[in-house]
Amino acid sequence: MNTRVELARDEAAPGVLVQTLEQAIDAVVVVDAQGLVVFFNAAAERFWGCSRIEALGGNVSALIPRGLDPNPDDSASEHTDGGVHHLAGSSLDTRIVRQDGQERWGVMSVSTIVMHDQTLHAVFLKDVTHLRVQDLEHRLLSMSINATHSATCIVDAHRQLIYVNDGLIRLLGYSREEVIGQSPLLFFVPDARAETQAEPELEAILCGQPHEFSALISKRSGQRLWVHVSSTPVFDAQDQLEHVVIVLTDITQSKLHEVLQNKVIGALLKEESLESVLTLLCHEIERIAPEVIVSILSVDPQGILHPLASPGLPVEYSRAIEGLVIGPTTGSCGTAAYRGEPVLVTDINNDPLWADYKHLAQQSGLQACWSMPVRNGAGRIAATFALYFRESRGPDPLHGHLVKAGTHLCMLALEREQARQSIRKMAFYDGLTGLPNRSYLLAQAQRTLGEMAREQAELAVLFVDLDRFKQINDALGHASGDELLRVTAHRLRSLLREADLVGRLSGDEFVLVLPRMNATQVATFLERMMMLLSRPMTIAGMSVVVSASIGISLFPGDGRDMETLLHRADIAMYQAKRIERGSFSFFVEKMNRIAQDRLVLETALRNAMATGNLELFYQPQIDLNSGRLVGVEALARWAHPALGDISPRQFIPLAEECGLINELSQWVLQAACEQLAVWRRQGLAIASLSINLSPINFHNLDLAELIAGQLQRYGLQPADLCVEVTEGVVLSNSPGTCKTIRDLHALGVRLAIDDFGTGYSSLGYLRHLPISELKLDKSFVDDLEHDTSCRALSESVIGIGKSLSLTVVAEGIESAVQRDILKAQGYEVGQGNFFSLPLPGQAFVQFIDSVNAGAAACNGAGALCVGAGFSS
Ligand code: C2E
Ligand code: CA
Ligand code: CA
């Protein structure tokens, strides 16, 4: 503005000048040398809120209390130069209080005018009251924005930062000069932008949508922060985006927990392994703080360190840590675990804690390490959580948050692992012995098989079944049975090499899986194993000896999968048990056929019992002196429609194994009683009938009652029946078997010991047993002619029998020579094919008729007649 006023000497000039001043937008007040107001324009009237009539002639100080000097400090502003009068100065903050009390602010400029030797001052006042108010508001706003902890910035329509508050400067560490004019993208971590999906969110904000989101940003130092971002767009009168106000709030602490927790818990829920969960945790932390390397070690109960996860460390470094024992100077982690408190080493190269390990760290470029002990639910230090730095330094607050969140999650993962292991223990291990159960053993073994296949190595599967465990369990009680199984499990485990497996299948069955073993090596192993198993063990104060029958199958010869190998070892075990308890047997293909046949037979036997394909045959027992019939033994026969005759030596054990024996014996009992009743009705003089019962029948506590029932049903006396059992039955300790024997004896049914001489009964023992008959085993009779020891045995058996007043029956007599030897030794009763083969009921009647006829004809030498007539 040209403020110089040249007053023309022309008379017309003042009029023009006055009019110009009158119409000026700004307030104009002209003052004479005495300070009296000589001119006051319309704008001045509006500004001061008074009319010119009131103002003219008054002193200017009434209008402008501070006087006309607008800028007292600016001494250079006022000078006179050759009659040219200059602007005296200007000031923004000229404050006027109007008569009505209102406050006005003006920018004042004062010019000096010389006119007709008179000096006048023209005061120009521009009303800036509204600007002044706005400015004040701005200043207050700025002060309050700066006072908040939030970081605030303002972006203009060109997406450039035009304002940042102190909070933002403090939060991010940039200076104002560095950021003003930049894009706010500067703060947002480039790789995190896409990953946290901040990119579209930011775009939305800069386009003027009011919006909120959280994002990872980067300080000037590179350190990362989680912030909550909220924006408010500002539009102009034309609805064009003018500014965007963005407020950032530091939520690192809570967000870290949330983000890490979400990821880690997500992985835990997905049942990922401990290692992969912790590796994920390491990766996440390193993403937030790229300057750190995370390492998580487990500390076992023996205080030994094992790396769990440290994806950022070289493999050799972790390998070197494996197996270190915690101690007072074992680097940061070993020491932290030892002391039970965090250990910070800011300079690995010069810290005594690292003296023995710094070479490792140096090789990997590690300079500082901050390690935290992690306690499990039980309070034991189970792990360490450490941050390594590549420079010699300490942690900053972010690292503090990371470690806090990290150790917490690490603990969660460890606890989950512990829970998982105890669940696994329950699901995969046998509670009694602590050995793997069937399914777990099979799974483990299948894995081992895979290894053997790759190595082309052999493997042995041993199926171990304790002998007579049921009897021991019955005799000593279940608690003792359990103890026996535990001791056995312990013994088996003590035999294993590292890669060997042992598990308990069920009851008294154990399975061993021995990788890299051939048949010869297994035989050596078996020797040790059977020796160990047969050592006496003390159970419930008693010395107990157990034996086991063992079946062996070999990979790959006997099968390539665990199912087959186990099945075949099981078959071999049955075979061993059948041949001799306490022995072992290798699987041979023949057994498989036998086992398959057995399956077929089992079904057929069930059918035979249902359809009446079973029959009883009868073999006479003959008085060796008179040749007369003394008794009859009933022997079961099975004529299979397709397979032909099947021997009871085959189907009786089968019935025992598959649980059919009680049913079968009941059928025998009923059929035998019925037959005897029929014969008696026919008038045949048959003194007694013997039936065979299996040891298993004696577990049935109702046996005596059953027998009594059948005898009664057919009008027989208990003395008409003799029950043949093996030595094992009468010598049994089982309370059930003992009771049944007592009940039978009380009923009056006679008991015979079958196959006598093959067991171990002593004379003293027999004395106390409720038996009335011994049957000399056929094997001794077979060799009587040629084997003197057989003769000696048969002689002692008749001796025992006579001394105890028992009937002794010699079984399996096939020749007159045998009969004569036995007769000479004092035997009175004989049975065998020499006299008669076992015969069907009908044929037996004919036999008796002929015996009686023969006896009459031969006049007392009936035995000869019988022998001649029926043994060929
Ligand atoms: P065991 O009780 O010792 O029966 C005698 C066996 O010897 C019978 O065989 C009989 O036929 C056979 N035998 C008799 N005299 C001679 C002879 O002079 N020479 C030869 N070589 N053998 C002779 P079997 O009938 O085959 O029975 C075999 C075994 O099966 C029986 O041996 C018995 O333990 C069992 N058994 C048979 N029937 C039954 C039954 O109904 N119930 C039960 N639980 N077992 C039975
Ligand atoms: Ca018999
Ligand atoms: Ca016998």
Side-chain angles (χ1 to χ4, degrees):
M1 170 174 67
N2 183 6
T3 54
R4 206 174 73 169
V5 183
E6 281 286 339
L7 287 182
R9 302 196 187 258
D10 188 332
E11 272 307 305
V16 175
L17 180 71
V18 166
Q19 229 172 53
T20 308
L21 292 176
E22 178 58 35
Q23 283 167 15
I25 298 164
D26 295 340
V28 181
V29 181
V30 180
V31 181
D32 68 9
Q34 285 70 48
L36 300 176
V37 175
V38 295
F39 179 81
F40 200 74
N41 75 350
E45 286 184 318
R46 283 194 300 275
F47 186 73
W48 269 277
C50 66
S51 70
R52 65 190 70 189
I53 299 166
E54 288 169 88
L56 287 173
N59 196 290
V60 72
S61 62
L63 298 173
I64 305 165
R66 280 180 55 197
L68 287 186
D69 184 0
N71 197 350
D73 300 333
D74 191 358
S75 55
S77 62
E78 194 176 359
H79 53 271
T80 308
D81 180 15
V84 178
H85 305 284
H86 291 274
L87 171 74
S90 66
S91 165
L92 224 176
D93 41 9
T94 299
R95 178 171 169 267
I96 270 93
V97 181
R98 302 192 338 184
Q99 282 173 347
D100 60 6
Q102 274 190 37
E103 195 179 55
R104 285 288 141 119
W105 291 88
V107 177
M108 182 172 77
S109 53
V110 182
S111 300
T112 305
I113 311 163
V114 181
M115 197 181 181
H116 309 305
D117 300 328
Q118 200 185 1
T119 303
L120 299 174
H121 297 286
V123 179
F124 297 85
L125 260 167
K126 186 182 180 69
D127 188 348
V128 292
T129 307
H130 65 287
L131 287 177
R132 179 74 197 198
V133 169
Q134 234 175 34
D135 180 53
L136 188 72
E137 277 176 0
H138 276 157
R139 265 192 289 165
L140 285 172
L141 200 67
S142 174
M143 265 163 59
S144 64
I145 288 175
N146 278 334
T148 64
H149 289 293
S150 296
T152 305
C153 57
I154 301 175
V155 179
D156 67 9
H158 305 293
R159 302 181 168 201
Q160 287 178 344
L161 287 161
I162 55 159
Y163 171 84
V164 293
N165 77 341
D166 290 349
L168 189 119
I169 298 294
R170 270 197 309 272
L171 184 70
L172 302 185
Y174 289 97
S175 70
R176 279 202 165 73
E177 293 70 44
E178 284 173 310
V179 294
I180 295 295
Q182 299 284 333
S183 158
L185 281 172
L186 172 72
F187 309 138
F188 291 85
V189 179
D191 61 322
R193 241 187 275 159
E195 203 176 317
T196 54
Q197 281 158 359
E199 197 104 54
E201 313 256 15
L202 260 178
E203 191 54 34
I205 280 188
L206 296 176
C207 289
Q209 294 167 20
H211 194 48
E212 295 190 14
F213 64 97
S214 54
L216 203 53
I217 63 169
S218 176
K219 285 185 163 198
R220 189 178 190 279
S221 63
Q223 190 192 324
R224 288 159 191 230
L225 293 175
W226 276 101
V227 288
H228 175 264
V229 183
S230 73
S231 76
T232 314
V234 179
F235 298 95
D236 66 11
Q238 280 74 47
D239 252 2
Q240 292 297 309
L241 181 68
E242 227 175 12
H243 297 112
V244 181
V245 180
I246 302 173
V247 179
L248 307 177
T249 317
D250 182 2
I251 51 163
T252 306
Q253 197 168 353
S254 54
K255 189 67 181 179
L256 271 186
H257 276 270
E258 184 194 315
V259 166
L260 292 176
Q261 199 148 311
N262 281 350
K263 296 243 169 154
V264 170
I265 289 179
L268 288 175
L269 287 178
K270 274 190 253 153
E271 286 293 308
E272 286 181 19
S273 69
L274 178 66
E275 195 195 325
S276 75
V277 170
L278 293 181
T279 303
L280 172 85
L281 178 62
C282 293
H283 278 312
E284 283 303 312
I285 290 178
E286 287 166 5
R287 203 170 60 80
I288 296 167
E291 69 281 10
V292 306
I293 301 171
V294 186
S295 160
I296 303 171
L297 309 178
S298 79
V299 183
D300 72 18
Q302 284 73 46
I304 299 169
L305 298 174
H306 309 279
L308 279 178
S310 47
L313 288 177
V315 184
E316 310 81 62
Y317 188 82
S318 299
R319 214 175 279 146
I321 288 177
E322 169 63 46
L324 286 185
V325 182
I326 64 169
T329 54
T330 323
S332 299
C333 296
T335 311
Y338 181 80
R339 291 185 191 162
E341 59 183 36
V343 169
L344 171 63
V345 171
T346 53
D347 180 9
I348 286 177
N349 286 334
N350 296 305
D351 197 299
L353 293 184
W354 277 83
D356 297 340
Y357 310 102
K358 65 179 174 206
H359 60 281
L360 282 175
Q362 280 162 356
Q363 282 163 14
S364 307
L366 306 170
Q367 300 272 1
C369 179
W370 186 31
S371 181
M372 212 66 48
V374 182
R375 290 175 194 276
N376 66 9
R380 186 180 77 77
I381 295 170
T384 59
F385 181 93
L387 300 186
Y388 281 93
F389 298 94
R390 294 180 191 84
E391 59 197 66
S392 171
R393 58 165 290 175
D396 64 24
L398 175 77
H399 301 134
H401 297 320
L402 288 171
V403 163
K404 197 168 160 207
T407 47
H408 173 70
L409 292 170
C410 187
M411 192 189 75
L412 270 186
L414 287 173
E415 275 179 5
R416 195 277 311 248
E417 184 65 12
Q418 214 170 16
R420 204 148 72 158
Q421 271 174 12
S422 50
I423 289 170
R424 215 172 72 125
K425 209 162 189 168
M426 285 190 278
F428 296 141
Y429 292 85
D430 159 39
L432 179 67
T433 61
L435 295 180
N437 60 18
R438 182 193 188 91
S439 55
Y440 188 47
L441 178 85
L442 286 183
Q444 278 188 309
Q446 197 60 48
R447 210 171 313 138
T448 309
L449 276 187
E451 278 172 43
M452 294 308 103
R454 283 191 293 279
E455 284 178 31
Q456 300 200 320
E458 283 183 281
L459 172 147
V461 176
L462 274 58
F463 198 111
V464 180
D465 186 288
L466 298 185
D467 297 324
R468 297 180 223 279
F469 177 71
K470 246 197 196 75
Q471 282 96 317
I472 293 171
N473 216 21
D474 283 350
L476 303 179
H478 282 269
S480 299
D482 286 354
E483 180 60 17
L484 190 149
L485 291 175
R486 269 195 292 268
V487 173
T488 306
H490 182 77
R491 287 180 173 182
L492 289 176
R493 214 181 342 217
S494 75
L495 289 166
L496 301 189
R497 303 162 302 167
E498 200 177 337
D500 295 343
L501 305 171
V502 60
R504 179 172 168 233
L505 284 205
S506 65
D508 57 344
E509 296 171 340
F510 297 87
V511 167
L512 279 74
V513 177
L514 312 174
R516 300 176 194 87
M517 268 215 191
N518 58 27
T520 329
Q521 290 162 321
V522 172
T524 322
F525 179 86
L526 282 168
E527 221 169 277
R528 274 197 302 142
M529 174 166 144
M530 295 176 92
M531 200 133 79
L532 181 63
L533 287 184
S534 62
R535 274 203 214 143
M537 49 176 99
T538 310
I539 306 268
M542 281 178 36
S543 179
V544 179
V545 177
V546 287
S547 65
S549 301
I550 300 154
I552 305 113
S553 63
L554 292 168
F555 168 86
D558 297 333
R560 305 196 65 92
D561 62 280
M562 206 39 215
E563 207 71 43
T564 309
L565 287 166
L566 192 63
H567 181 60
R568 296 191 159 186
D570 187 10
I571 291 173
M573 185 279 292
Y574 261 107
Q575 182 69 9
K577 200 156 260 199
R578 197 160 309 128
I579 294 166
E580 188 191 354
R581 287 176 196 269
S583 69
F584 64 83
S585 171
F586 281 86
F587 175 82
V588 285
E589 188 53 40
K590 201 177 88 200
M591 290 177 189
N592 203 26
R593 262 205 324 280
I594 293 170
Q596 279 170 9
D597 291 351
R598 271 162 48 94
L599 205 69
V600 175
L601 277 189
E602 184 180 324
T603 325
L605 181 59
R606 283 176 201 277
N607 287 339
M609 289 177 49
T611 57
N613 273 335
L614 280 186
E615 203 184 341
L616 281 185
F617 272 40
Y618 301 91
Q619 189 171 38
Q621 296 174 337
I622 303 294
D623 184 318
L624 296 181
N625 296 310
S626 68
R628 290 186 183 278
L629 183 81
V630 210
V632 190
E633 180 179 4
L635 295 160
R637 291 289 175 269
W638 178 16
H640 189 282
L643 299 172
D645 291 345
I646 297 166
S647 162
R649 293 204 190 278
Q650 222 181 325
F651 69 79
I652 295 297
L654 179 68
E656 286 176 341
E657 278 155 26
C658 62
L660 284 172
I661 192 66
N662 278 325
E663 230 175 299
L664 191 140
S665 293
Q666 279 174 39
W667 173 82
V668 169
L669 172 70
Q670 180 273 324
C673 290
E674 188 178 11
Q675 181 64 76
L676 184 60
V678 168
W679 285 331
R680 292 260 171 97
R681 271 205 302 280
Q682 293 174 351
L684 295 172
I686 294 170
S688 102
L689 181 76
S690 298
I691 60 167
N692 293 281
L693 289 183
S694 146
I696 293 171
N697 296 135
F698 286 78
H699 294 156
N700 179 4
L701 296 177
D702 300 329
L703 184 67
E705 211 175 307
L706 256 159
I707 291 176
Q710 292 297 337
L711 290 172
Q712 201 183 3
R713 177 177 172 192
Y714 292 105
L716 302 173
Q717 298 303 310
D720 293 337
L721 193 68
C722 178
V723 170
E724 296 188 5
V725 292
T726 47
E727 258 177 284
V729 174
V730 280
L731 295 178
S732 168
N733 281 322
S734 153
T737 299
C738 292
K739 180 179 184 301
T740 310
I741 288 176
R742 276 198 310 275
D743 289 353
L744 281 183
H745 184 62
L747 177 65
V749 169
R750 285 173 304 125
L751 274 174
I753 299 187
D754 211 348
D755 306 337
F756 190 76
T758 54
Y760 311 95
S761 321
S762 68
L763 185 61
Y765 222 103
L766 287 174
R767 203 188 302 280
H768 303 290
L769 293 172
I771 49 171
S772 18
E773 188 177 307
L774 299 178
K775 296 189 80 174
L776 176 67
D777 190 67
K778 181 182 168 305
S779 60
F780 304 114
V781 177
D782 284 345
D783 295 332
L784 274 180
E785 289 168 62
H786 315 291
D787 190 333
T788 47
S789 63
C790 275
R791 275 205 296 276
L793 201 126
S794 69
E795 189 141 21
S796 73
V797 169
I798 187 70
I800 291 169
K802 290 215 154 138
S803 74
L804 296 176
S805 316
L806 303 175
T807 310
V808 185
V809 180
E811 240 188 328
I813 301 175
E814 291 181 338
S815 70
V817 182
Q818 290 168 344
R819 180 203 58 188
D820 293 340
I821 296 171
L822 290 163
K823 206 169 142 184
Q825 284 183 337
Y827 280 83
E828 289 167 352
V829 185
Q831 181 183 343
N833 294 352
F834 173 68
F835 305 107
S836 165
L837 289 164
L839 300 168
Q842 201 54 46
F844 193 75
V845 176
Q846 290 161 20
F847 166 78
I848 293 176
D849 288 346
S850 70
V851 168
N852 290 341
C858 296
N859 194 21
L864 260 180
C865 300
V866 169
F870 290 90
S871 64
S872 50

